[in-house]
Amino acid sequence: MRVLVYIIIGLVCMLFESSLSSHISLDLFKPDFGIPLIIYVTFFMGPRAGFITTICLGFIQEGLSGAPTGSIMFVKISIFLITTFMKKQLYIDSKYSFAMTCGAAVLLESFLFLSLSLLARGETGNMYNILFYAIPNAIFTGFVSIFIYSLIEYLNASYLDRVR
């Protein structure tokens, strides 16, 4: 039940972002709404729920993006695997440590996407664009993930704990 609620939250956020970005130029302020949800579900609900969330959000972002086929899914699964292995080494105790983890994951996602395009196509034409927007997107995603963490914690405390 909870995983479905988190996937719906991610879907609404991604649809809002994709519909808003066509009307307003948000080049520096395009947060990745999938990363905070993938990290939250993987850390607090386990790898099985995290994998389901990763696959669903990866397919949604794959459909909404103009990136080469399969690249978004590859990067999301890579972030999920890294999060799963780092689950024992990282301790998320507040929304601020969660925001820092999400920001670092977005930076890693940018470099994974860059290395994938470099290895797959052998081109570096889009490299400067990805490098230029990586840090602002990571900062803005970290900022947005504070609100996502607070929303999920509020939903857990108010509604989702009663469902059991």
Side-chain angles (χ1 to χ4, degrees):
M1 174 72 178
R2 287 184 188 203
V3 175
L4 182 62
V5 171
Y6 300 150
I7 290 171
I8 291 171
I9 290 171
L11 175 65
V12 169
C13 290
M14 286 180 222
L15 288 174
F16 177 74
E17 176 191 5
S18 66
S19 65
L20 187 66
S21 66
S22 64
H23 298 293
I24 300 171
S25 178
L26 297 173
D27 289 336
L28 288 175
F29 303 110
K30 288 190 179 178
D32 187 352
F33 290 107
I35 292 292
L37 292 171
I38 290 169
I39 290 175
Y40 185 90
V41 171
T42 304
F43 263 90
F44 297 113
M45 296 184 68
R48 189 174 295 164
F51 184 69
I52 293 169
T53 304
T54 302
I55 295 297
C56 292
L57 294 178
F59 277 132
I60 292 168
Q61 280 188 335
E62 191 78 42
L64 293 174
S65 75
T69 307
S71 61
I72 299 289
M73 189 60 106
F74 172 77
V75 171
K76 294 297 180 196
I77 290 175
S78 299
I79 293 294
F80 162 73
L81 290 173
I82 292 169
T83 303
T84 302
F85 290 124
M86 293 301 292
K87 185 177 176 180
K88 300 284 184 192
Q89 283 75 26
L90 288 175
Y91 181 70
I92 295 178
D93 60 340
S94 69
K95 57 187 168 186
Y96 304 111
S97 59
F98 179 73
M100 290 177 54
T101 305
C102 291
V106 169
L107 280 177
L108 181 63
E109 179 185 34
S110 297
F111 289 115
L112 281 172
F113 188 77
L114 181 65
S115 63
L116 179 65
S117 67
L118 186 65
L119 290 173
R121 290 193 238 155
E123 66 180 32
T124 59
N126 207 13
M127 179 175 73
Y128 296 115
N129 192 23
I130 292 172
L131 290 176
F132 180 75
Y133 290 117
I135 293 175
N137 286 341
I139 292 170
F140 197 62
T141 300
F143 181 70
V144 167
S145 67
I146 292 173
F147 296 108
I148 291 174
Y149 184 86
S150 299
L151 173 69
I152 291 173
E153 289 295 313
Y154 171 75
L155 288 175
N156 285 339
S158 299
Y159 301 108
L160 297 176
D161 284 339
R162 290 189 244 164
V163 174
R164 293 185 198 187

